[in-house]
Amino acid sequence: MGQHFISSLLICMFFTLIPASLSSSDDRRTYIIHMDKSKMPAPFSTHHSWYASTLTSLSSPDDIPPIHLYTYNHAMDGFSAVLSRSHLEQLEKMPGHLATNEETFGQLHTTHTPKFLGLDRQTGLWPVSGFGDDMIIGIVDTGIWPESESFNDDGMPPVPARWRGTCETGTAFNSSNCNKKLIGARSFSKGMKQAGLNISTTDDYDSPRDYLGHGTHTSSTAAGSAAPFASHFGYANGTAKGMAPKARLAMYKVLFFNYTSDAAATDTLAGIDQAIEDGVDLLSLSLGFYTTPFYSDPIAVGTFAAIERGIFVACSAGNRGPHGYTILNGAPWITTVGAGTIDRNLSARVTLGDGEIQVVGKSVYPQNLLVDRVPIYFGHGNRSKEICNSYTLDPNDVKGKYIFCDFNDEISVFQQLFEMYRTGAAGAIFSSDSGQFLQVEVFDMPFVTVNPWDGELVKNYLIKSKNPTISIKFQVTLLGTKPAPQVADFSSRGPVLHAPWTLKPDILAPGVDVLGAWTPNRASAPIGDNFLLTDYALVSGTSMASPHVVGIAALLKTAHKDWSPAAIRSAMMTTADIIDNANNPIIDIITGVAGTPLDFGGGHVNPNKATDPGLVYDIGVQDYINYMCALNYTTEQLQTITRRSNVSCEANLDLNYPSFIVILNNTNTTSYTFKRVLTSVVDANCTYHATVEAPSGMKVFVQPATIYFPRKYSKSTFNLTVEINLGLNPTSDYIGNYGFLTWYEDKGTHVVRSPLVSAFAA
């Protein structure tokens, strides 16, 4: 589930383009006007009426009056309007005017993840797949807010005739809330009610309507329609758009607000069951149960039935990283998704003094606060005060002031935050190497974290200046930052505790500060003791990664109707990126060094490459049954999953998976041979040869090293033998020791890569 699920819930203003026809001259522009509310004249009862009166008072030489757009109640003090140059000149001379910013427009993408993933309207997987048209994605989650712009059905064709679902009637929800985008919505709460949940006393809705925001967010990420001018209080501006923007959505609500946000296994299974009955093509579950054998895991059980019917299933890997063996949803028929960062930073720009030095740091403070040449406190000569350790600052010195806290690797940014709150400081600049780990909801005060190198610039300026001042511009969004992606700190790592013989997670996808649709009725972004509301929110978690993958799978399934769920997963894994945008191996954000397949599986998903993988590793239902037989499940346990009274199987832990994991024991030497079958998915004969990148201490042999495919869907078998000599003192150093097996097409362009990793059994 989303890492912060969801303690602070979020509503923002709708942004509207002013049609060009309303403008009679080229000098009319849209502006954001900052006003000083303390200067509001006494006759006005509200600042809105003051702004309206101000606009009315402006003379219009061209007889076209100003157009008021929005009054901002929390995100900033002021309003926006369409003004001529004459209007603007008059307004800037009026009492109370602080500053004017001309309107800017964000890039037209999912608040950035589609572009980061290479999706383009003109070329590649989006147009090839018709943007996922005809696919139906089932989301098992907290419900949905149907009025969100992300679920508008403009331009959508009729609902597929095969659809058997419906929109149920319940609290604040009925069939009219569905349309050609949101084609089904149901809720399941009997299990929670039996456990003592009284929905009527929790403020949640006894219906598919979302109270927590989580399901609305995941749904919009997977298949949201284009929603222009979306942002989180000015951060991450752009057009919010799902991975498969023409796909249909069906919501199955199984989580209700109960202070722990639990989902009953009975309700979860009921939701999966109904989704299968309704005819979904794909399922995404951004929730998980504690790791248990598959036969007692409701998600593993329910999704096995889905896979049998050709339904692709993606699930979040869990937010218990960075430690190993923390993977949830690790059944081999589930595509398990870890979370990575994207190349976008949410920032504030700090200007020192007269502007001779500027630094940029992380901040998601949700108000465009005017911080201009304000004094800043720094405890010169007292190291404990300089680093703002607990109870080192005197409130008499810093109350109402901005403070600077120097870097110290033994002091966390949270201790510095405590000092800011305790002393009543107005805001802060923190020099810290952990600012990147702070979640959105932490920024309830106007503070900025800068890295230690920039912190040195700030400190040197403060030491040398007699009367140091700073200016801060919040709501800065930087694109193209490097390195990205990185493996998120919270993303759960493999192997799977109860069944480590398949590598998990399978793949990495965006899961940090993802902008998606939100419920507009709940207190969200904090400012001190107050909360703002929003229609779009930034949320982090593997919950956000799973819907990215299910949306991409919908595109692939549209482009390749005959591909199985395993083939779709294989295509994503074998074409995934293992190099970041700085042309280096993808790093673990915690350690700052190269991650391993236990962190990111096959790599970071690359949708356009996945549409043409060349070869796939396919897996049938019987193969999964053979795998479970090798786990020594009893007949009854197997029947729990398969629903078959007479299970026939040949025990085999070596699934035809697109990755390889060697589970080590305490003996000095380990040798294991994997058998794999590759299937060609191109309309031509082709030949591939194998190349192995083996880590130190690991010998790898491929037989045969060259394989030939005479036609599409022809198959070829190979063996991969791994020998590992642990020496006289086997250690955990071999956990995550990895390399790659890559098949290169002769006289072609296809490259099929699989990770090979070793780990000790838990």
Side-chain angles (χ1 to χ4, degrees):
M1 300 172 67
Q3 187 182 24
H4 293 272
F5 178 86
I6 271 301
S7 59
S8 59
L9 312 177
L10 301 144
I11 249 181
C12 138
M13 316 285 167
F14 286 99
F15 286 56
T16 308
L17 256 179
I18 302 303
S21 60
L22 293 180
S23 181
S24 64
S25 63
D26 291 338
D27 74 337
R28 291 174 64 82
R29 300 285 187 270
T30 300
Y31 298 95
I32 298 172
I33 298 96
H34 296 262
M35 301 292 283
D36 183 353
K37 288 173 63 175
S38 68
K39 300 293 180 62
M40 183 176 71
F44 296 103
S45 59
T46 67
H47 57 282
H48 175 79
S49 60
W50 177 36
Y51 303 156
S53 176
T54 299
L55 286 175
T56 302
S57 70
L58 301 178
S59 63
S60 303
D62 56 4
D63 294 325
I64 300 178
I67 301 173
H68 175 263
L69 299 182
Y70 299 104
T71 292
Y72 299 102
N73 298 307
H74 299 289
M76 57 169 278
D77 291 336
F79 59 99
S80 58
V82 179
L83 306 172
S84 68
R85 171 56 58 181
S86 173
H87 293 146
L88 181 60
E89 291 173 353
Q90 296 173 59
L91 180 62
E92 289 178 333
K93 297 175 183 177
M94 290 186 171
H97 174 268
L98 292 175
T100 299
N101 297 319
E102 187 170 343
E103 177 75 289
T104 59
F105 296 93
Q107 299 178 33
L108 298 178
H109 44 232
T110 304
T111 74
H112 195 54
T113 53
K115 184 173 183 180
F116 179 63
L117 294 171
L119 292 170
D120 185 273
R121 293 187 61 85
Q122 305 301 322
T123 62
L125 184 53
W126 256 356
V128 166
S129 67
F131 301 87
D133 184 28
D134 199 45
M135 287 293 106
I136 303 170
I137 302 175
I139 307 288
V140 181
D141 215 298
T142 68
I144 195 164
W145 194 267
E147 294 85 1
S148 171
E149 186 66 18
S150 288
F151 310 124
N152 77 72
D153 63 352
D154 295 344
M156 297 287 293
V159 176
R162 70 183 188 278
W163 176 242
R164 300 182 295 273
T166 188
C167 269
E168 70 178 34
T169 297
T171 306
F173 204 98
N174 56 51
S175 60
S176 66
N177 290 120
C178 286
N179 56 21
K180 290 180 288 186
K181 163 62 73 174
L182 176 62
I183 64 174
R186 301 175 185 264
S187 63
F188 304 88
S189 58
K190 292 180 180 178
M192 290 304 301
K193 288 176 179 176
Q194 287 296 317
L197 174 66
N198 184 345
I199 296 176
S200 64
T201 64
T202 65
D203 295 326
D204 205 331
Y205 303 96
D206 198 359
S207 74
R209 183 170 290 277
D210 192 4
Y211 176 76
L212 291 164
H214 191 270
T216 300
H217 196 283
T218 55
S219 298
S220 67
T221 301
S225 301
F229 306 109
S231 77
H232 176 91
F233 304 101
Y235 295 94
N237 291 291
T239 294
K241 186 182 296 182
M243 295 295 101
K246 290 294 184 181
R248 319 310 171 100
L249 285 164
M251 170 53 63
Y252 300 88
K253 180 178 178 179
V254 300
L255 291 104
F256 295 79
F257 179 59
N258 60 0
Y259 300 101
T260 59
S261 302
D262 289 333
T266 50
D267 297 334
T268 302
L269 279 170
I272 296 171
D273 187 74
Q274 188 64 59
I276 295 171
E277 170 65 25
D278 290 346
V280 302
D281 300 302
L282 308 97
L283 269 174
S284 179
L285 294 92
S286 289
L287 60 124
F289 292 78
Y290 286 112
T291 303
T292 63
F294 302 142
Y295 55 80
S296 59
D297 183 337
I299 292 178
V301 171
T303 57
F304 184 85
I307 291 293
E308 282 187 301
R309 290 161 175 81
I311 299 171
F312 177 90
V313 180
C315 289
S316 50
N319 299 328
R320 300 191 295 168
H323 305 295
Y325 289 96
T326 55
I327 285 286
L328 302 178
N329 299 318
W333 49 88
I334 294 171
T335 298
T336 311
V337 190
T341 65
I342 61 175
D343 64 338
R344 177 178 66 196
N345 283 353
L346 310 172
S347 308
R349 184 174 292 107
V350 179
T351 301
L352 307 178
D354 293 327
E356 60 270 21
I357 300 175
Q358 286 190 345
V359 297
V360 175
K362 178 165 183 176
S363 184
V364 201
Y365 182 65
Q367 187 176 23
N368 195 7
L369 191 67
L370 190 68
V371 181
D372 186 22
R373 300 292 302 274
V374 299
I376 183 166
Y377 173 87
F378 182 48
H380 302 304
N382 187 328
R383 190 57 181 155
S384 62
K385 288 187 177 183
E386 292 174 356
I387 62 176
C388 307
N389 198 0
S390 300
Y391 291 94
T392 56
L393 299 181
D394 187 341
N396 293 323
D397 293 335
V398 303
K399 186 175 182 179
K401 300 178 183 178
Y402 278 75
I403 60 175
F404 172 73
C405 297
D406 195 11
F407 172 73
N408 184 289
D409 58 8
E410 296 182 358
I411 303 299
S412 75
V413 69
F414 293 102
Q415 290 172 285
Q416 296 175 331
L417 278 168
F418 172 80
E419 277 297 273
M420 180 182 67
Y421 293 127
R422 184 187 68 82
T423 59
I429 300 173
F430 300 127
S431 179
S432 173
D433 58 2
S434 57
Q436 60 188 332
F437 303 116
L438 296 180
Q439 297 299 314
V440 170
E441 58 267 33
V442 174
F443 290 89
D444 62 343
M445 291 284 287
F447 72 88
V448 185
T449 67
V450 298
N451 64 51
W453 297 273
D454 287 337
E456 282 297 305
L457 294 176
V458 177
K459 182 173 69 173
N460 290 337
Y461 161 75
L462 297 178
I463 292 173
K464 295 176 182 178
S465 300
K466 184 176 181 180
N467 296 302
T469 62
I470 60 162
S471 301
I472 304 176
K473 173 65 176 73
F474 293 97
Q475 299 179 337
V476 174
T477 301
L478 302 177
L479 301 178
T481 57
K482 298 179 180 182
Q486 301 176 58
V487 182
D489 54 314
F490 55 79
S491 188
S492 289
R493 270 60 163 181
V496 178
L497 183 62
H498 293 282
W501 295 277
T502 51
L503 175 62
K504 294 286 183 173
D506 293 305
I507 203 157
L508 203 68
V512 177
D513 291 337
V514 175
L515 189 74
W518 204 249
T519 53
N521 64 331
R522 288 295 307 278
S524 303
I527 292 184
D529 295 330
N530 299 313
F531 288 84
L532 306 181
L533 307 175
T534 186
D535 292 307
Y536 286 84
L538 290 160
V539 186
S540 298
T542 55
S543 278
M544 286 62 250
S546 177
H548 277 92
V549 166
V550 83
I552 293 167
L555 301 176
L556 294 172
K557 195 175 179 74
T558 305
H560 303 284
K561 300 286 189 184
D562 53 348
W563 282 10
S564 69
I568 293 172
R569 174 177 57 204
S570 175
M572 287 192 279
M573 290 179 64
T574 61
T575 61
D577 294 328
I578 58 173
I579 301 298
D580 62 27
N581 62 357
N583 205 33
N584 294 312
I586 292 174
I587 66 173
D588 181 336
I589 198 171
I590 288 285
T591 63
V593 300
T596 80
L598 294 174
D599 306 321
F600 53 66
H604 193 275
V605 64
N606 186 318
N608 291 323
K609 287 184 179 179
T611 193
D612 184 22
L615 308 174
V616 297
Y617 294 82
D618 209 353
I619 304 175
V621 171
Q622 186 61 46
D623 298 317
Y624 294 125
I625 295 175
N626 294 344
Y627 181 80
M628 289 185 286
C629 289
L631 295 177
N632 294 320
Y633 287 0
T634 66
T635 300
E636 292 77 13
Q637 291 165 347
L638 286 170
Q639 187 174 351
T640 297
I641 301 174
T642 65
R643 306 171 317 285
R644 305 177 189 185
S645 56
N646 297 310
V647 178
S648 174
C649 66
E650 298 178 5
N652 182 15
L653 284 175
D654 186 21
L655 272 173
N656 195 43
Y657 224 70
S659 58
F660 304 85
I661 182 168
V662 180
I663 301 301
L664 305 173
N665 52 38
N666 289 324
T667 61
N668 292 340
T669 302
T670 294
S671 179
Y672 190 83
T673 297
F674 300 89
K675 180 180 179 180
R676 292 289 191 271
V677 179
L678 281 164
T679 302
S680 176
V681 289
V682 297
D683 292 312
N685 61 31
C686 50
T687 300
Y688 287 78
H689 69 272
T691 299
V692 175
E693 301 171 58
S696 175
M698 182 184 293
K699 294 181 179 180
V700 183
F701 308 93
V702 181
Q703 183 63 36
T706 300
I707 52 180
Y708 174 69
F709 301 88
R711 65 189 67 85
K712 189 176 184 179
Y713 300 130
S714 58
K715 300 179 185 296
S716 187
T717 301
F718 70 92
N719 292 332
L720 182 144
T721 300
V722 179
E723 294 180 359
I724 299 177
N725 189 341
L726 301 180
L728 300 177
N729 185 26
T731 70
S732 60
D733 291 343
Y734 279 85
I735 294 180
N737 204 17
Y738 72 97
F740 294 96
L741 165 67
T742 306
W743 291 98
Y744 290 93
E745 183 183 15
D746 291 345
K747 301 179 181 179
T749 60
H750 295 105
V751 177
V752 185
R753 183 180 54 248
S754 294
L756 168 62
V757 66
S758 61
F760 282 94

